[in-house]
């Protein structure tokens, strides 16, 4: 059985940083495309950062470009989302996704069989 577990969310002041982790079990994350999706209060879930298994040419949404980065530790079967320069509009539930998701310069698209974590809450507020 596959599980993705996110952690690292919390309350942070504007301008601060957080690093989210997504630990996988039941799959080898290094073999899959991964992405981070965000659902802000009252808004639809959006893909903010997606990358291939080789971390080639990742997609960044305009809202996070230049502030967020993704990295992998294949030994720990973990993907990280480093978030710097956080803004109140970054508030939301952040989800890790792995599987056959695809992306281009215009966004990320998930597949029905992709694996999702349960989400972790990020709140940016003073």
């Amino acid at each position: 059985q596959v599980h993705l577990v996110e952690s690292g969310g919390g309350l942070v002041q504007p301008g601060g940083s957080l690093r989210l982790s997504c630990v996988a079990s039941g799959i080898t994350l290094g073999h899959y495309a991964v992405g981070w999706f965000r659902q802000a209060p009252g808004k639809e879930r959006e893909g903010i950062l997606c990358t291939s298994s080789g971390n080639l040419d990742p997609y960044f949404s305009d809202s996070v470009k230049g502030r967020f980065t993704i990295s992998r530790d294949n030994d720990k079967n973990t993907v990280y989302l480093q978030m710097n320069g956080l803004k109140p509009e970054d508030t939301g539930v952040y989800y890790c996704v792995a599987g056959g998701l695809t992306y281009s310069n215009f966004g990320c698209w998930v597949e029905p069989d992709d694996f999702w974590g349960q989400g972790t809450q990020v709140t940016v507020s003073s």
Side-chain angles (χ1 to χ4, degrees):
Q1 195 170 6
V2 176
H3 292 284
L4 301 180
V5 179
E6 302 98 334
S7 62
L11 174 64
V12 62
Q13 292 188 343
S17 297
L18 282 176
R19 189 178 77 159
L20 305 184
S21 300
C22 173
V23 182
S25 60
I27 60 169
T28 300
L29 269 184
H31 294 171
Y32 293 93
V34 297
W36 287 92
F37 284 67
R38 172 174 74 192
Q39 187 158 23
K43 295 188 177 181
E44 292 187 358
R45 194 176 298 181
E46 65 166 333
I48 58 171
L49 202 164
C50 296
T51 187
S52 65
S53 59
N55 274 7
L56 299 175
D57 201 17
Y59 163 81
F60 298 86
S61 69
D62 288 342
S63 61
V64 307
K65 196 174 297 182
R67 300 186 297 122
F68 291 11
T69 58
I70 190 171
S71 62
R72 296 175 183 259
D73 185 333
N74 290 334
D75 290 340
K76 295 182 178 179
N77 213 22
T78 300
V79 172
Y80 301 99
L81 179 67
Q82 179 67 44
M83 306 186 294
N84 300 325
L86 283 161
K87 305 175 182 180
E89 52 264 42
D90 294 318
T91 294
V93 179
Y94 285 69
Y95 299 90
C96 172
V97 184
L101 66 158
T102 57
Y103 60 93
S104 72
N105 290 337
F106 304 102
C108 304
W109 294 273
V110 296
E111 298 293 329
D113 293 337
D114 285 347
F115 305 109
W116 288 78
Q118 83 289 350
T120 185
Q121 175 71 44
V122 172
T123 303
V124 184
S125 175
S126 55

